[in-house]
Amino acid sequence: MDQRMVNGAIILIHGFWSSPDTWAKLIDRIEADDELRSLRVHAFGYESPKLRMPLTPARIPDYNDIAQTLATLYSVQLQSEPRVAIVTHSQGGLILQRFLAWMLNEGRGRELTRLKMVVMLSCPNEGSEYLRSFRAAARFHRHPQARELGVLTKEAAESRRTVLRQVVNARGVDERQCPIPFHVYSGRTDNVVTRTSAQSAFPSVGALAGDHFSILDPDAPGNLTFSTLRKHLLDDLGSPPPAAADGTAEASRTGSTGRAIEFRTLIDHHVEGFIGRKFVFDRIDEFLGRHDRGYFAVEGVPGIGKTAVIANLVRHRSYVHHFNVAAMGVNSFEQFLGNVCAQLVARYDIRTTATVSDFRRDGAALSELLREAGTKAAAAGERLVVAVDAIDEVGDPGAGRNVLFLPPDLPQSVYFVLTVRPDELALRTSAAYSKFTIDPLSADNRRDARAYLGERISGTRLGRDLAALGVRLDDLLDASSNAARATSCICTTFSRRLRKTPPTTATLSDSPKGLRSTTKITGDACAPGYGRQRGNDP
């Protein structure tokens, strides 16, 4: 199978009383690896001496000093890097969290979208009793970094809460939040930072062989740190080579199984600013928990947010996926079969003699790959979920055939989550099959729409003008059953009227009829002067 290419940079942050040299052996392994050698490695250094020499003009930097220096490295020196990973050891993880919290508090969450992965090794997230005792014995209470390491300071604890709330569990991208995958590991025999402290409340955790220091030594017996790091870098930073002109991945002349279609830009677009839809995710989870295999279809009118649901499932749950986008020419069964089959082969390390031509011919190869991948997923106690968006944008499959040649029979632990317009999916299957319609007028959808509109206009000139007019969000929702349409209507029509009518005399009834219309709105850009301009209104 073709090698994945890793295009990006990696920042390595050392710990207390240490230096960039602590990463030397891991850097050697990265530079010698065929798939990682293109990574640009930056071993981030900062002053962490044992003692401050008296009568010197220099001081020992505290966490805030170091975090803001890291922000400068990320924003200036690495501003052209498309993807960045950060790996930390010990105190370095606390510095990283201070950096992320500072960026978010400064309203710079959108700048963090280039940060694709974090790995923290032996980070004292809950403090270190060992270091606390050592600090007391050595009288290091004046060391600005040592003060943070024993029992965590209030500021360190607040940084961790910010990261957990606005990064690890973020539901979208805006000025104050940005989802980033965190992989957190403790050292199996680490007596400096315990497993409880290292893993803390992070959801994706594990233990690696080694104590607090040998965890960084790839030559130590049983050490798996480099192998683990390599896997995360390939999964989170690895990207396939450019796709062929028809939107599909091109097979090599040697019978390659092909490469998956890259949907990262589309996913980023629909994840950014995403709000709500918990009621949809709850119904999906309910179906997955109730059945051992099956199809679940999310139905909804155009513009209701079906693609955003699939994009967020892919981003946060890493589902195998395919997006049908007629405007891009990606809406054929051949593209779907080739893309999903390539993902299954790569993700589940399936050995097959089949080629791209075999995958794209009909549904037989997909069924066989699902059987093998489903067996591996079940053995690991996992589900194999394939998320497919916009089934309705695919042409008629012909009499007796399922759209996209979807298999009528599914192996155990295999599921499909589909999105489609109402009443446009006829599926023949022996597996469990359920539909859920997002009703634009439902209380759940209205609550999400209200939150969405509130986020879009909060703190903007438009929001203030609407408030001056006495216009409530519920008035706007009454004008349109769809949040995206209502927002477009507000931005493209009502704001024009406001520019002609003084805010003190205009009323909702004075607005153009478009505000109350539910006809299709093709644009979603706000009129000039009514964008998100916090603090710098013209």
Side-chain angles (χ1 to χ4, degrees):
M1 194 168 62
D2 294 328
Q3 292 179 336
R4 285 174 283 182
M5 298 186 302
V6 178
N7 180 28
I10 181 172
I11 302 173
L12 306 173
I13 307 177
H14 64 78
F16 184 62
W17 277 8
S18 187
S19 73
D21 292 340
T22 195
W23 300 105
K25 289 186 177 181
L26 280 173
I27 292 175
D28 288 343
R29 292 292 184 95
I30 291 172
E31 293 177 344
D33 189 278
D34 288 340
E35 293 180 286
L36 301 183
R37 63 176 55 179
S38 60
L39 274 174
R40 274 76 70 187
V41 180
H42 298 266
F44 176 73
Y46 57 91
E47 298 81 3
S48 186
K50 293 181 175 66
L51 296 172
R52 175 181 175 272
M53 298 302 294
L55 304 178
T56 61
R59 63 179 175 84
I60 300 174
D62 62 21
Y63 280 13
N64 291 323
D65 297 319
I66 303 168
Q68 292 181 33
T69 305
L70 177 60
T72 302
L73 169 69
Y74 177 82
S75 303
V76 178
Q77 186 174 344
L78 303 184
Q79 64 177 328
S80 62
E81 292 289 355
R83 300 173 184 175
V84 179
I86 295 181
V87 182
T88 71
H89 176 242
S90 192
Q91 173 180 266
L94 300 179
I95 291 169
L96 164 71
Q97 293 175 62
R98 189 68 57 88
F99 154 71
L100 292 174
W102 183 79
M103 291 286 285
L104 294 172
N105 290 335
E106 290 292 306
R108 299 171 64 181
R110 297 184 190 278
E111 295 181 41
L112 297 174
T113 56
R114 294 185 295 114
L115 183 50
K116 303 301 183 183
M117 180 199 80
V118 167
V119 173
M120 292 199 305
L121 305 172
S122 296
C123 176
N125 289 298
E126 304 285 350
S128 170
E129 181 64 24
Y130 178 94
L131 291 173
R132 186 194 68 79
S133 302
F134 185 78
R135 186 189 70 178
R139 298 184 179 181
F140 280 165
H141 56 280
R142 295 184 178 180
H143 196 297
Q145 296 167 25
R147 283 199 299 267
E148 303 266 4
L149 287 173
V151 178
L152 288 190
T153 64
K154 180 179 178 180
E155 191 171 5
E158 181 58 34
S159 294
R160 185 187 59 189
R161 283 193 292 269
T162 298
V163 168
L164 287 170
R165 183 177 60 248
Q166 296 165 232
V167 177
V168 176
N169 296 307
R171 297 301 301 269
V173 177
D174 57 34
E175 290 83 355
R176 303 292 176 177
Q177 63 175 338
C178 181
I180 301 168
F182 265 66
H183 310 288
V184 179
Y185 293 94
S186 59
R188 189 173 64 204
T189 56
D190 192 338
N191 191 42
V192 175
V193 178
T194 65
R195 174 172 54 82
T196 300
S197 179
Q199 297 180 359
S200 186
F202 289 88
S204 179
V205 300
L208 293 170
D211 58 29
H212 194 69
F213 304 102
S214 64
I215 194 173
L216 296 182
D217 184 359
D219 297 328
N223 187 285
L224 294 176
T225 300
F226 174 71
S227 298
T228 303
L229 176 59
R230 182 180 187 276
K231 178 183 183 302
H232 290 315
L233 287 169
L234 290 174
D235 288 346
D236 295 335
L237 265 68
S239 62
D246 65 351
T248 64
E250 193 173 42
S252 70
R253 298 179 182 178
T254 59
S256 165
T257 55
R259 307 181 182 100
I261 302 175
E262 177 63 77
F263 289 111
R264 188 179 298 273
T265 300
L266 183 149
I267 293 170
D268 287 345
H269 171 74
H270 285 281
V271 166
E272 182 177 353
F274 183 83
I275 291 175
R277 290 301 183 246
K278 180 178 182 298
F279 70 98
V280 180
F281 297 131
D282 286 346
R283 290 297 294 268
I284 293 172
D285 290 337
E286 179 184 340
F287 178 85
L288 297 178
R290 181 178 298 175
H291 304 283
D292 67 352
R293 72 201 77 187
Y295 287 94
F296 186 88
V298 178
E299 294 188 334
V301 297
I304 200 71
K306 301 186 297 296
T307 298
V309 167
I310 295 296
N312 276 270
L313 287 173
V314 174
R315 173 60 53 83
H316 298 294
R317 303 188 184 184
S318 300
Y319 286 166
V320 174
H321 57 278
H322 182 80
F323 292 83
N324 293 290
V325 190
M328 294 170 52
V330 183
N331 62 334
S332 71
F333 74 83
E334 294 96 341
Q335 292 164 321
F336 162 76
L337 291 171
N339 179 37
V340 171
C341 287
Q343 291 180 62
L344 293 172
V345 168
R347 179 169 301 192
Y348 292 96
D349 194 23
I350 298 174
R351 306 301 176 184
T352 178
T353 59
T355 65
V356 169
S357 297
D358 296 325
F359 293 160
R360 292 160 60 100
R361 185 177 302 115
D362 53 40
L366 174 61
S367 293
E368 180 59 25
L369 290 176
L370 287 173
R371 181 192 63 78
E372 187 168 348
T375 299
K376 292 187 175 184
E382 300 173 350
R383 301 185 181 100
L384 193 173
V385 182
V386 182
V388 186
D389 183 51
I391 293 290
D392 49 273
E393 296 200 18
V394 181
D396 186 355
R401 298 174 176 174
N402 278 338
V403 64
L404 296 176
F405 286 102
L406 293 173
D409 303 309
L410 294 178
Q412 187 173 348
S413 300
V414 174
Y415 304 82
F416 279 80
V417 176
L418 316 170
T419 65
V420 65
R421 296 183 183 184
D423 303 319
E424 293 198 21
L425 177 62
L427 194 62
R428 300 175 57 189
T429 179
S430 61
Y433 176 33
S434 180
K435 296 180 181 180
F436 176 68
T437 301
I438 303 177
D439 181 359
L441 302 179
S442 69
D444 287 324
N445 190 67
R446 187 180 181 88
R447 181 174 58 251
D448 284 354
R450 194 182 194 284
Y452 176 78
L453 287 175
E455 172 65 22
R456 287 294 299 271
I457 67 176
S458 175
T460 64
R461 278 188 59 196
L462 176 58
R464 290 191 290 273
D465 284 344
L466 290 173
L469 292 168
V471 178
R472 301 178 302 116
L473 288 179
D474 287 337
D475 296 329
L476 303 177
L477 292 174
D478 289 339
S480 174
S481 61
N482 183 295
R485 291 178 180 175
T487 303
S488 295
C489 241
I490 297 164
C491 294
T492 59
T493 60
F494 190 29
S495 58
R496 294 172 186 164
R497 183 67 177 180
L498 287 175
R499 289 201 297 274
K500 298 178 181 178
T501 307
T504 54
T505 60
T507 65
L508 182 60
S509 60
D510 290 328
S511 65
K513 293 182 179 179
L515 179 59
R516 299 178 179 273
S517 171
T518 57
T519 57
K520 183 173 180 62
I521 302 298
T522 57
D524 194 30
C526 289
Y530 281 92
R532 296 189 64 83
Q533 300 174 3
R534 298 180 185 270
N536 61 345
D537 292 341

